[in-house]
C-alpha cells in the first residue's frame, strides 16, 4: 500500500509537470517561424509536443533504484524537471541511462538494487511489482511478474506497446547499431514484431536525422499492418511509412493472382540483370543526325553523336541520359548554326574584297554594340539565346522523340515479358519452358510483376524530375515519391521476400540501414530458400549481421510441445524457441466428417468465445475451406496460414491440419497455424474417407 501511495504521488507530480511543458510548447509553436532555422526548430518543438501529448496514457511505467541510492523513473517520454540543472523527472525509455531497466537481472544487477514495474490506468496507479536485484541467483526473465501478467491479458485484436516488459535479448536488438543490415531470426511468440517496432522508436530517438528521412515499415499484408498500426503512434513516432511490397510502388496495384511456379520464376535475382540489359538495348546507336532549323538543314555527324552519347549515358537512367543527350544536341546544333553562319560570312567577305578595294573610303565612324550588330558574328550571349530557342522548338523535340523516344515503364515491361525472343535473349538463365510460362501470363499486374515494374521504372528513370518540395509531413511526401531514400527500413516476416522484392528494399535504402525480422521456418512463399543466407545472398551478399530471439513468450508450453515433429517435416535446421509460460490448458482435438465440419466449427468457436469473453478467437484453415467456414462464422477472422502470419488470439481453432499440410510448403504453414494462440488451441480434424488421400507438399 505504501508503494502505491508513493508512486501515485510521483505520477501526479509528473503529469502536472507534463501539462506545464505542453502549455509552454503550445505557446512557442504559436509563434511564426521567420526562416528555415526557425522552421527546423518548430519541427523539433512539434515532435516534443506530440511525444508528450501521446505519453499521457501510461506516462510512467517503471522505476530503478540504484545501489548508490539514485532513483530514476522510466516512462514513455522524457519529462524534464523544473530546475534547469536537475536530472530529468522522467527518463525516456530509449535513453542509455534507462537500459538497465531492461537488462539488469538478479545475476547481473548492473549497479541496481531494485526494479519496479508500475501499472497505470490513465492518471491512477493501479499496481506495482517490485523485483529485487541483489546479485543472488535468479531467473533469466526481466520483470517476470509484470511480463507474465501482460501475456495473460486478453487480446484486443490490435498490437499494443511492450515498453514496460521488454526482455534483455529483445533490448539488445532494439539498441543495436544501424549501419548495416541486421537480420533477426525468431520463432513464434518471440516478439519479433515488438522488437522491430520498438527499434524504430529507438532509432528515431537516437538518430534525429532519420526523422527527416522517415522510416519504412514493410509488412506481409494489409491485415497485419492494421494489427500493428497503433504501436508507433503510441510511442510518439509519426515519421513512418507502412506498406507491403504490393503497395510500395505508387500508382501500381495487384490485379490478379498467379501460380506459385510463375511467382517463383519472377522472384529470382536474374531479372535485375536481364532488365538492365534490355533497357541498355533500347538506347539509340550513333549515326548522322540531320536537323532542320529555320528552314535550313544541319548535320551532326556520327562521330560527334557518338561522343555525345558516350558523355550522356554512363551511370544514368534511360530518361536522365536522354535529357543529358538532348541538352548536348541543343548546344551542338547552336554551335553548328553559328559556325555555318560564320563560314557564310567569310565566303561573302572574300567575294567583296576585290570590289571594296576599288573604292577610296575614309575610315568609318565608331560603331557601338557587339556581336552580329557589329560584324555579323554571334556573340556568346547570342549563341546561348539561340540554344534556348532550339531547346524550346517543337520540331527539334519531335525529332529527338522519334530518334530517342520516352518510354512508359508499364508498356516497356509488358512488351518485354510478352516476347519469348526477348526473354530468351536477355534472361538466358530461364529455361525454354520457363520462358513460355512467363510469356503466357495475362497482362494485368500480379504480385510477382511489381518488383519487376519497380526495377524497370528505376532503370528508365523519371522523364522529368519534380524538384518541388511537395506538401504534407515527411511521411506523406515519402509515401508519394517512388524514389524516396529512407533513413531506415524495417521488414517484418522477411522470410517471405523474393530476391527481387529485396531489390525493392535496397532501392529505397541504398545505405543499407535495414532491420529484417522473421522466422525462416515459417516461410510459405514460392521461393525455395530454407536459410537466411540463401534468402539474402543475391542482394546482401555476406554483408549482414545475424541476431536471434530464442525465448517464446506468447505461445504456451502446451502448444509449443506440438511443434517439434512439424518442424522436422518442414525440413527445419533450427530449434524451436523455448516457451517460458504455461497456460494450464492442454490442446484438444475433435474428429468430424467433412459434412459436419461447418457446424462443428461454429460450435467450437462459440465455446471458445464464451471461455475467452473480452478476448479474441481466430480460425486458421486450408485455403479450400475458407469460404465454407466464413459463411458460418461471419464475425470471426477465418484465415489461411499465410494470412494469419504475425497475428495472435487468446484462442485458436485449427481446422483440418492435414489439409494445411497438403498445401505448398504446408508443414511451414501448419507451424504458423499451431502457434497463433496465447492461451488455448483447439483442433478440428477431418475424417477423410478411406479412398481419399491427403498428400503433404513441403
Amino acid at each position: 500500500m505504501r508503494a502505491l501511495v508513493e508512486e501515485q504521488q510521483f505520477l501526479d507530480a509528473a503529469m502536472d509537470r507534463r501539462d506545464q511543458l505542453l502549455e509552454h510548447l503550445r505557446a512557442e509553436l504559436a509563434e511564426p517561424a521567420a526562416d528555415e532555422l526557425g522552421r527546423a526548430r518548430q519541427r523539433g518543438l512539434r515532435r516534443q509536443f506530440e511525444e508528450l501529448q501521446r505519453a499521457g496514457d501510461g506516462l510512467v511505467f517503471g522505476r530503478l533504484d540504484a545501489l548508490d541510492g539514485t532513483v530514476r523513473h522510466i516512462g514513455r517520454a522524457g519529462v524534464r524537471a523544473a530546475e534547469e540543472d536537475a536530472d530529468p523527472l522522467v527518463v525516456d525509455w530509449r535513453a542509455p541511462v534507462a537500459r538497465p531497466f531492461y537488462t539488469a537481472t538478479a545475476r547481473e544487477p548492473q549497479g541496481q538494487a531494485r526494479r519496479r514495474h508500475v501499472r497505470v490506468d490513465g492518471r491512477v496507479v493501479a499496481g506495482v511489482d517490485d523485483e529485487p536485484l541483489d546479485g543472488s541467483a535468479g531467473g533469466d526473465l526481466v520483470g517476470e511478474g509484470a511480463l507474465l501478467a501482460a501475456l495473460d491479458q486478453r487480446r484486443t485484436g490490435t498490437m499494443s506497446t511492450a515498453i514496460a516488459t521488454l526482455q534483455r535479448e529483445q533490448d539488445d536488438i532494439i539498441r543495436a547499431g544501424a549501419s548495416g543490415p541486421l537480420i533477426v531470426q525468431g520463432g513464434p511468440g518471440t516478439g519479433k514484431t515488438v522488437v522491430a517496432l520498438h527499434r524504430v522508436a529507438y532509432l528515431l530517438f537516437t538518430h534525429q536525422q532519420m526523422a527527416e528521412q522517415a522510416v519504412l515499415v514493410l509488412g506481409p499484408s494489409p491485415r497485419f499492418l492494421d494489427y500493428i498500426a497503433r504501436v508507433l503512434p503510441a510511442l510518439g513516432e509519426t515519421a513512418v511509412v507502412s506498406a507491403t511490397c504490393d503497395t510500395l510502388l505508387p500508382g501500381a496495384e495487384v490485379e490478379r493472382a498467379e501460380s506459385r511456379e510463375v511467382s517463383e520464376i519472377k522472384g529470382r535475382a536474374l531479372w535485375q540483370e536481364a532488365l538492365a540489359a534490355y533497357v541498355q538495348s533500347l538506347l539509340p546507336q550513333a549515326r548522322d543526325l540531320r536537323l532542320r532549323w529555320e528552314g535550313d538543314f544541319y548535320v551532326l555527324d556520327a562521330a560527334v553523336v557518338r561522343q555525345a552519347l558516350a558523355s550522356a549515358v554512363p551511370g544514368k537512367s534511360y530518361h536522365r541520359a536522354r535529357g543529358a543527350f538532348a541538352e548536348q544536341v541543343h548546344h551542338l546544333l547552336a554551335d553548328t548554326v553559328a559556325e555555318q553562319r560564320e563560314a557564310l560570312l567569310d565566303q561573302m567577305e572574300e567575294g567583296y574584297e576585290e570590289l571594296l578595294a576599288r573604292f577610296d573610303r575614309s575610315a568609318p565612324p565608331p560603331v557601338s554594340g557587339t556581336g552580329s550588330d557589329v560584324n555579323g558574328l554571334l556573340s556568346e550571349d547570342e549563341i546561348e539565346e539561340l540554344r534556348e530557342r532550339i531547346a524550346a522548338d517543337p520540331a527539334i523535340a519531335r525529332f529527338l522523340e522519334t530518334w530517342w523516344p520516352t518510354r512508359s515503364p508499364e508498356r516497356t515491361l509488358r512488351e518485354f515479358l510478352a516476347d519469348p525472343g526477348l526473354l530468351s535473349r536477355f534472361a538466358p538463365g530461364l529455361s525454354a519452358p520457363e520462358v513460355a510460362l512467363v510469356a503466357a501470363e495475362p497482362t494485368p499486374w500480379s504480385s510477382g510483376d511489381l518488383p519487376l515494374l519497380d526495377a524497370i521504372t528505376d532503370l528508365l528513370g523519371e522523364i522529368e524530375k519534380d524538384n518541388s518540395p511537395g506538401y504534407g509531413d515527411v511521411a506523406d511526401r515519402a509515401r508519394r515519391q517512388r524514389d524516396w531514400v529512407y533513413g531506415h527500413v524495417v521488414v517484418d516476416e522477411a522470410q517471405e521476400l523474393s530476391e527481387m522484392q529485396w531489390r525493392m528494399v535496397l532501392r529505397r535504402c541504398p545505405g543499407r540501414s535495414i532491420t529484417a525480422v522473421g522466422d525462416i521456418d515459417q516461410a510459405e512463399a514460392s521461393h525455395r530458400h530454407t536459410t537466411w543466407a540463401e534468402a539474402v545472398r543475391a542482394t546482401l551478399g555476406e554483408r549482414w549481421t545475424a541476431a536471434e530471439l530464442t525465448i517464446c513468450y506468447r505461445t504456451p508450453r502446451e502448444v509449443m510441445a506440438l511443434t517439434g515433429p512439424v518442424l522436422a517435416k518442414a525440413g527445419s535446421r533450427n530449434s524451436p524457441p523455448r516457451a517460458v509460460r504455461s497456460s494450464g490448458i492442454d490442446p484438444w482435438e475433435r474428429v468430424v466428417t467433412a459434412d459436419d465440419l461447418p457446424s462443428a466449427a461454429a460450435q467450437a468457436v462459440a465455446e471458445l468465445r464464451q471461455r475467452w469473453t473480452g478476448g479474441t478467437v481466430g480460425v486458421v484453415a486450408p485455403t479450400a475451406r475458407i469460404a465454407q467456414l466464413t459463411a458460418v462464422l461471419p464475425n470471426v477472422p477465418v484465415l489461411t496460414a499465410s494470412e494469419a502470419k504475425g497475428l495472435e488470439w487468446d484462442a485458436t481453432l485449427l481446422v483440418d491440419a492435414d489439409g494445411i499440410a497438403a498445401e505448398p510448403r504446408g508443414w511451414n504453414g501448419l507451424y504458423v497455424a499451431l502457434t497463433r494462440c496465447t492461451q488455448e488451441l483447439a483442433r478440428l480434424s477431418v475424417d477423410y474417407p478411406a479412398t481419399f488421400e491427403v498428400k503433404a507438399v513441403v
Side-chain angles (χ1 to χ4, degrees):
M1 186 66 180
R2 178 181 171 184
L4 279 173
V5 173
E6 185 180 24
E7 295 306 329
Q8 184 64 61
Q9 290 175 343
F10 180 84
L11 180 62
D12 291 342
M15 292 296 287
D16 288 345
R17 177 59 180 157
R18 165 189 169 269
D19 293 344
Q20 292 173 8
L21 291 171
L22 283 174
E23 284 303 314
H24 177 71
L25 288 167
R26 190 176 285 111
E28 287 200 77
L29 287 168
E31 296 293 326
D35 51 24
E36 182 54 38
L37 185 62
R39 286 188 287 274
R41 182 175 180 273
Q42 290 278 64
R43 288 194 294 270
L45 293 174
R46 172 64 61 185
R47 180 178 174 83
Q48 292 177 38
F49 182 85
E50 291 174 350
E51 282 189 347
L52 282 173
Q53 195 171 45
R54 289 190 176 92
D57 184 12
L59 174 62
V60 179
F61 58 77
R63 168 174 155 171
L64 278 173
D65 292 14
L67 290 169
D68 63 5
T70 303
V71 174
R72 292 187 176 92
H73 280 83
I74 315 300
R76 290 178 179 270
V79 178
R80 66 176 186 268
E83 302 81 13
E84 197 159 323
D85 57 348
D87 290 336
L89 191 64
V90 180
V91 175
D92 191 296
W93 69 276
R94 295 162 289 191
V97 74
R99 191 172 191 194
F101 185 80
Y102 301 105
T103 58
T105 64
R107 292 193 182 98
E108 298 179 51
Q110 300 176 25
Q112 307 302 315
R114 181 180 67 180
R115 173 174 38 236
R116 171 176 287 175
H117 282 83
V118 182
R119 298 192 300 280
V120 174
D121 183 6
R123 289 178 176 255
V124 177
V125 176
V128 297
D129 180 15
D130 282 340
E131 182 182 6
L133 302 169
D134 56 7
S136 62
D140 55 3
L141 294 180
V142 171
E144 183 171 357
L147 172 65
L148 296 181
L151 292 170
D152 283 337
Q153 290 178 353
R154 295 289 193 267
R155 304 298 105 176
T156 63
T158 59
M159 180 176 282
S160 58
T161 67
I163 50 177
T165 56
L166 292 171
Q167 297 299 294
R168 179 166 189 161
E169 70 172 12
Q170 296 174 325
D171 189 73
D172 286 343
I173 293 169
I174 288 170
R175 297 175 193 261
S179 58
L182 175 67
I183 297 182
V184 182
Q185 162 64 27
T190 55
K192 298 182 294 295
T193 301
V194 164
V195 166
L197 297 178
H198 286 70
R199 178 163 167 76
V200 170
Y202 170 77
L203 291 175
L204 287 171
F205 174 83
T206 308
H207 305 284
Q208 295 295 321
Q209 73 276 12
M210 283 189 184
E212 299 297 322
Q213 295 177 271
V215 171
L216 172 64
V217 175
L218 278 181
S221 67
R223 182 186 290 271
F224 175 83
L225 295 178
D226 289 342
Y227 175 63
I228 68 172
R230 297 183 185 178
V231 176
L232 286 170
L235 294 172
E237 303 303 344
T238 58
V240 179
V241 174
S242 297
T244 68
C245 285
D246 287 350
T247 63
L248 197 51
L249 186 57
E253 295 181 1
V254 174
E255 301 174 78
R256 66 176 177 87
E258 66 186 354
S259 70
R260 286 179 65 85
E261 187 176 7
V262 174
S263 175
E264 187 277 322
I265 294 169
K266 289 182 179 177
R268 298 177 194 171
L270 63 84
W271 288 98
Q272 185 66 38
E273 186 176 341
L275 291 169
Y278 176 56
V279 170
Q280 181 71 23
S281 75
L282 300 176
L283 297 174
Q285 300 302 305
R287 66 171 176 83
D288 289 349
L289 297 185
R290 190 166 180 261
L291 299 107
R292 185 169 183 173
W293 173 251
E294 294 187 342
D296 294 321
F297 285 98
Y298 301 88
V299 176
L300 304 181
D301 65 49
V304 171
V305 173
R306 185 176 296 106
Q307 185 176 5
L309 285 170
S311 172
V313 169
K316 299 183 183 72
S317 67
Y318 176 94
H319 287 125
R320 189 177 172 196
R322 182 187 183 279
F325 179 80
E327 286 186 12
Q328 292 198 46
V329 167
H330 301 153
H331 282 289
L332 290 168
L333 181 55
D335 290 342
T336 301
V337 171
E339 289 168 3
Q340 291 197 20
R341 178 169 182 166
E342 183 177 352
L344 181 60
L345 287 173
D346 288 343
Q347 291 174 8
M348 292 173 63
E349 288 177 3
E350 290 174 5
Y352 284 121
E353 281 179 358
E354 184 177 347
L355 179 62
L356 293 173
R358 299 175 185 175
F359 295 92
D360 180 19
R361 301 178 60 188
S362 58
V367 179
S368 61
T370 60
S372 57
D373 291 336
V374 177
N375 54 17
L377 301 180
L378 298 179
S379 68
E380 289 186 6
D381 288 343
E382 288 172 323
I383 292 175
E384 179 59 26
E385 182 185 357
L386 173 61
R387 187 205 64 79
E388 292 174 358
R389 288 168 52 214
I390 288 171
D393 186 77
I396 298 296
R398 285 194 298 271
F399 176 89
L400 288 172
E401 178 64 28
T402 301
W403 189 69
W404 189 333
T406 55
R407 294 184 181 273
S408 154
E410 293 82 3
R411 181 174 179 179
T412 304
L413 180 61
R414 284 193 169 108
E415 290 173 350
F416 180 62
L417 295 180
D419 190 326
L422 291 175
L423 290 171
S424 298
R425 176 184 170 191
F426 292 104
L430 298 180
S431 67
E434 289 170 341
V435 166
L437 279 173
V438 171
E441 288 284 289
T443 53
W445 298 128
S446 67
S447 182
D449 289 324
L450 294 193
L452 308 187
L453 180 59
D454 189 61
I456 206 165
T457 300
D458 185 67
L459 290 164
L460 290 174
E462 305 292 340
I463 297 174
E464 289 185 9
K465 180 67 176 175
D466 181 8
N467 293 316
S468 61
Y471 57 90
D473 61 23
V474 64
D476 290 331
R477 299 199 307 274
R479 193 177 289 109
R480 295 192 303 269
Q481 191 169 321
R482 182 200 63 81
D483 57 353
W484 186 273
V485 174
Y486 289 91
H488 192 78
V489 176
V490 168
V491 185
D492 206 325
E493 302 295 345
Q495 74 278 357
E496 304 301 336
L497 266 62
S498 70
E499 291 168 341
M500 287 303 292
Q501 286 173 327
W502 271 108
R503 288 280 184 182
M504 294 181 81
V505 173
L506 289 181
R507 227 166 267 130
R508 285 154 179 82
C509 192
R512 299 191 170 205
S513 182
I514 299 167
T515 300
V517 300
D519 181 4
I520 203 70
D521 292 324
Q522 295 186 49
E524 295 180 88
S526 58
H527 58 66
R528 300 164 185 170
H529 308 138
T530 58
T531 67
W532 285 111
E534 292 173 352
V536 302
R537 184 178 295 121
T539 47
L540 302 182
E542 306 299 325
R543 297 170 55 194
W544 54 280
T545 302
E548 187 173 7
L549 295 167
T550 62
I551 301 173
C552 173
Y553 308 100
R554 178 190 67 212
T555 311
R557 292 192 191 99
E558 293 87 348
V559 174
M560 287 304 295
L562 302 176
T563 62
V566 174
L567 279 177
K569 290 181 179 179
S572 171
R573 307 179 194 182
N574 301 309
S575 299
R578 175 172 59 89
V580 295
R581 58 184 284 269
S582 170
S583 67
I585 305 172
D586 290 327
W588 53 270
E589 181 179 19
R590 294 173 185 165
V591 180
V592 299
T593 65
D595 291 340
D596 292 337
L597 183 63
S599 59
Q603 180 181 343
V605 167
E607 293 173 12
L608 293 172
R609 294 179 82 172
Q610 184 175 12
R611 263 197 298 281
W612 299 103
T613 301
T616 57
V617 176
V619 179
V620 186
T623 303
R625 297 195 182 277
I626 296 297
Q628 179 188 43
L629 293 170
T630 300
V632 297
L633 298 168
N635 298 315
V636 178
V638 180
L639 308 174
T640 65
S642 294
E643 293 168 337
K645 193 164 294 168
L647 306 181
E648 62 179 33
W649 303 287
D650 292 281
T652 300
L653 177 63
L654 171 56
V655 176
D656 191 5
D658 289 340
I660 293 176
E663 295 178 328
R665 297 192 83 162
W667 292 110
N668 302 78
L670 185 55
Y671 182 49
V672 173
L674 283 170
T675 54
R676 296 305 94 198
C677 71
T678 63
Q679 303 292 346
E680 182 175 359
L681 173 66
R683 290 172 291 173
L684 285 183
S685 296
V686 179
D687 184 14
Y688 288 103
T691 56
F692 188 86
E693 182 181 7
V694 177
K695 295 182 179 180
V697 181
V698 178

